[in-house]
Amino acid sequence: MPPETSGQMVACWARIRARLRDEVGEVEYRTWLRQMTLQGIDGDEAVILLPTRFLRDWVNSHYGDRLRALWQAEDANVRRVEIRVAQAATAEPVMADGAGMASSRPEPSGLAESLAPAPRPPAEPRTSDPRSDWVVPLEARFTFDTFVVGKPNEFAHACARRVAERPASPGFNPLFLYGGVGLGKTHLMHAIAWAIREGETARTVAYMSAEKFMYRFIAALRSQSTMEFKETLRAVDVLMIDDLQFLIGKDNTQEEFFHTFNALVDQGKQIVVSSDKPPSDLAGIEDRLRTRLGCGMVADLHATTYELRLSILQAKAAAAQVLVPPKVMELLATKITSNVRELEGALNRLVAHANLFGRPITVDSAHEVLHDVLRAHEKRVSIEEIQRKVAEHYNLRLTDMVSARRARNVARPRQVAMYLAKQLTQRSLPEIGRRFGNRDHTTVMHAVSRVSELIAQDASFAEDVALLRKMLET
Ligand code: ADP
Ligand code: MG
């Protein structure tokens, strides 16, 4: 779907900037690109604003093509990107969505930046509406609609839905979400916030990272405005604190959070907290706070499964409207197992690359583009491990792998082990030869080609080798 509605446009724009930021790096991004705002889409042209002519020219000449390619990846209807100097009078962003109230944001989405019309001077005093500093913009694409549910996250997802539908229900307050990085904690929190904001009852939702909470609190202490700090926070209907583990060891901030927490819960307000560990493992958090954190609903996001990774890839490819062959998705889902963020990053890179060069995504291009990522995720297998597994599998002794015996029942498995050593390790042929009882590299070469031939000819042999390979790789 082309981004007709402003919500979609905001989401596309956020993704484009996130990608650009990944590509060019933080420093360059901040220097040149951070002040870009999207004015809108005019026919087949995306109009981007920058505050000065210098910046406009620079961005145009250095990033113009890239911006166009990234837009095209998001929306094929956009064929051109026009960069203009923002007039002071047109500084109002076209699609502020009620979330664009905050002045800055620690996390990499950068939505705040795009929605903030003009850069503010860095040391600006507090604005007249203290709340504007509090409400951190939500990432447009972190909604329930875009969250893919599978075994590892279904419980956390159900709890989040429940809280979004009926905030502050008994048993669900606080909602404590925990799990490793990149598994969807922030996504779920934003989804709750979006759903509550869109709900019929008007409710104020404050979402911020624990770091931001601490930073605000310390700033309030310094400027002697802690009363204001307390009042502002205690006036919200839903308070969400992301990455609570950052409060570990920060005693004063914890104390303040504890009081806010109690005040809100007493008033029947909802609290949602995320962390990388369950409450019981949060060493360095005061006991009484830990106890309170654990007394609502504690839900964990487990590591992803192959099935969930595949569903996520399918959903993301469909949303981005790109054709990703099933084999490529299988490759990514098999290799990139660490977390969803990396999986998403890999897919984005493939799409960007395909767009840039106008070539379809294939297994080969995936290997080429994601060379580094795939390698980093490759499990390191040692030759010794290969020898052991192969010997076990064929009922031989480990010494048979290095012995001079040439009987077929020993020689063939040895060849299989050499073949696997070549496939699964970075070792050179002479090195592999040496590790197999000081054999010559031509022996290894011969083994590799012999096993390849047999794999092509003999299905049951092929299955055997595939099985061994799988055992070694996982
Ligand atoms: P965390 O806060 O746990 O570190 P995030 O919520 O930031 O992780 O998720 C990292 C990325 O992965 C985000 O872009 C998010 O949209 C995506 N993601 C995580 N889980 C899912 C899911 N189940 N479905 C779709 N996207 C997901
Ligand atoms: Mg997070």
Side-chain angles (χ1 to χ4, degrees), residues 154-175:
E154 64 185 357
F155 182 65
H157 170 260
C159 293
R161 282 262 189 202
R162 171 64 197 267
V163 164
E165 275 158 26
R166 270 176 284 164
S169 321
F172 287 84
N173 201 13
L175 171 61

Side-chain angles (χ1 to χ4, degrees), residues 431-469:
E431 229 177 321
I432 295 173
R434 251 193 321 277
R435 303 282 299 273
F436 280 83
N438 263 328
R439 287 178 156 80
D440 193 69
H441 77 276
T442 52
T443 311
V444 184
M445 221 150 69
H446 174 71
V448 172
S449 64
R450 186 74 193 111
V451 171
S452 304
E453 274 166 32
L454 284 171
I455 286 174
Q457 291 161 8
D458 180 345
S460 88
F461 178 80
E463 216 167 87
D464 244 23
V465 177
L467 181 76
L468 275 164
R469 186 184 184 124

Side-chain angles (χ1 to χ4, degrees), residues 107 142 180-187 189 207 242-243 274 341:
E107 278 178 303
F142 287 179
V181 290
L183 296 181
K185 301 182 294 293
T186 300
H187 189 136
M189 288 177 106
Y207 162 89
D242 206 350
D243 290 323
S274 87
R341 188 172 296 136

Side-chain angles (χ1 to χ4, degrees), residues 386-394 401 413 416-417 420 468:
I386 294 170
Q387 293 173 331
R388 200 170 335 109
K389 271 269 163 10
V390 173
E392 229 169 67
H393 181 78
Y394 290 101
M401 289 287 126
V416 169
L420 288 169
L468 275 164

